[in-house]
Amino acid sequence: MTKLSVLDLAPIAQGSNAAQAFANSVSLAQTAERLGYERFWLAEHHNMKGIASAATSIVIGHVAQQTKTIRVGAGGVMLPNHAPLIIAEQFGTLASLYPDRIDLGIGRAPGTDQLTAQALRRNLSGNIDQFPRDVLEIIQYLGPDNPDARVRAVPGYGTNVPVWILGSSTYGAQLAAALGLPYAFASHFAPGELDFALDLYRRQFRPSEHLDKPYVMAGFNIFAADTTAEAKLLFTSLQQAFVNLRTGNPGQLPPPIEGYGERLDPQAAGMLANALSCSAVGDRDVVRAGLQAFIDRTQVDEVIITAQIFDHQARLKSYEIVAEVHAGLKAAA
């Protein structure tokens, strides 16, 4: 049966702050662990008032320290912003502190706007065309010790932290297939090339020392509540956040607004329909049908669930409902 995981952006709700966002992330991770979710990933974003996980490795350590069994990792680290050795040292440190629990998902986008990307560049020559070489460098740093190596990641070597390739296009699919690495697709906000990318990854996959057959995870938005009306209301926070971002006015995660979707202009409504097409919003029956349809369509090994819900208790409740639905699907299968 397809596994379930959690993608957390450590959202900063309107009127709140980063400290509360981190407390909420820990609470969600502990709930996910209790409910049997496979892993808990945090994503790197910069210069965004509504996302607190910019220093991703630090937040991963904070969450891992307050959980016991769930895998914790990056979904992902945006590699153009970092020197590979630094990332290997950070995740080697995490793996040394929390053995067999740390994942490293790597993406090639900067995770921010162009001006901030310039401020983040590790040197003037850094660019995304170096991405495959940087990935291989990280894998080497985290792999077995090489007595002839003049540069080592300490901590890092010998930890064998699992490396994933993240993407929202065929580029990441091809790279993950060529390197024999697991692949995670960002269909929760960029679903356009989902089917083509998954097919390409599976067809071109080359077995490696990391993986003997393709392994795919895909992002999926689920807003679950006792009633579909309540779930649709919760969903308006994400809808507002997307519209604000795409119109150049990003901010903290806004509270839900009754009837927000009905008042959108056609252009904004069309943008949301495309960007958030991989979503299930409703009560248990709606979520069950939506999750099953997504699994049937993609045949993924794992679905990573994200839910940008303003009220933290409603967010926990949503993940509890998803776990309940998933248990029912598993029993039926």
Side-chain angles (χ1 to χ4, degrees):
M1 182 65 190
T2 302
K3 297 176 180 178
L4 287 189
S5 291
V6 176
L7 175 62
D8 180 27
L9 302 186
I12 304 175
Q14 200 171 97
S16 188
N17 53 47
Q20 187 59 56
F22 297 141
N24 290 346
S25 290
V26 169
S27 170
L28 178 58
Q30 291 171 338
T31 299
E33 182 174 75
R34 174 177 58 82
L35 294 171
Y37 283 84
E38 181 74 10
R39 66 190 86 241
F40 186 93
W41 277 8
L42 292 133
E44 176 186 349
H45 293 79
H46 298 279
N47 194 27
M48 298 188 72
K49 292 181 178 179
I51 298 177
S53 52
T56 316
S57 60
I58 296 176
V59 187
I60 289 169
H62 179 63
V63 170
Q65 197 274 331
Q66 298 185 72
T67 51
K68 296 178 181 179
T69 58
I70 194 168
R71 298 193 66 87
V72 188
V77 161
M78 301 297 104
L79 199 49
N81 303 333
H82 310 280
L85 178 60
I86 294 295
I87 296 302
E89 289 172 342
Q90 290 175 358
F91 280 79
T93 298
L94 288 167
S96 299
L97 291 169
Y98 312 103
D100 301 317
R101 292 184 56 205
I102 302 300
D103 297 323
L104 173 54
I106 298 174
R108 71 175 183 129
T112 187
D113 59 90
Q114 288 300 312
L115 185 62
T116 308
Q118 287 184 329
L120 285 164
R121 282 190 307 177
R122 60 180 188 261
N123 58 58
L124 292 177
S125 63
N127 64 77
I128 62 172
D129 295 328
Q130 297 178 189
F131 183 66
R133 186 172 61 202
D134 288 348
V135 170
L136 288 171
E137 190 175 342
I138 284 181
I139 292 173
Q140 184 178 27
Y141 285 138
L142 295 172
D145 187 26
N146 178 3
D148 297 324
R150 300 187 64 184
V151 178
R152 290 180 174 86
V154 183
Y157 73 83
T159 57
N160 297 302
V161 175
V163 173
W164 294 63
I165 299 298
L166 277 57
S168 57
S169 70
T170 57
Y171 180 95
Q174 289 175 303
L175 181 61
L179 298 180
L181 296 175
Y183 179 52
F185 193 92
S187 39
H188 58 292
F189 74 91
E193 295 190 45
L194 171 63
D195 300 298
F196 185 43
L198 296 192
D199 177 65
L200 189 66
Y201 170 69
R202 288 168 174 143
R203 283 190 291 106
Q204 296 187 359
F205 181 84
R206 300 176 184 172
S208 69
E209 67 271 27
H210 312 291
L211 206 59
D212 61 356
K213 61 181 181 180
Y215 191 96
V216 177
M217 178 162 61
F220 194 60
N221 299 289
I222 297 187
F223 286 66
D226 288 329
T227 68
T228 295
E230 181 185 356
K232 287 183 176 179
L233 177 61
L234 297 176
F235 190 53
T236 63
S237 291
L238 180 61
Q239 291 176 313
Q240 293 174 73
F242 253 89
V243 170
N244 292 342
L245 178 64
R246 295 293 175 90
T247 55
N249 188 36
Q252 295 180 327
L253 185 67
I257 296 177
E258 288 279 3
Y260 176 78
E262 288 74 17
R263 298 198 297 272
L264 285 172
D265 63 72
Q267 183 177 1
M271 180 272 292
L272 288 177
N274 289 327
L276 303 180
S277 62
C278 291
S279 303
V281 182
D283 61 14
R284 287 165 176 80
D285 291 337
V286 171
V287 167
R288 182 180 299 107
L291 180 59
Q292 185 68 69
F294 185 70
I295 292 171
D296 290 345
R297 168 190 167 186
T298 60
Q299 295 296 301
V300 291
D301 302 282
E302 202 165 323
V303 179
I304 190 162
I305 307 299
T306 184
Q308 295 285 82
I309 295 176
F310 180 81
D311 179 77
H312 181 61
Q313 293 305 314
R315 192 173 184 223
L316 295 181
K317 178 69 175 293
S318 180
Y319 278 100
E320 289 172 351
I321 292 173
V322 174
E324 175 188 325
V325 166
H326 181 257
L329 293 176
K330 187 175 181 180

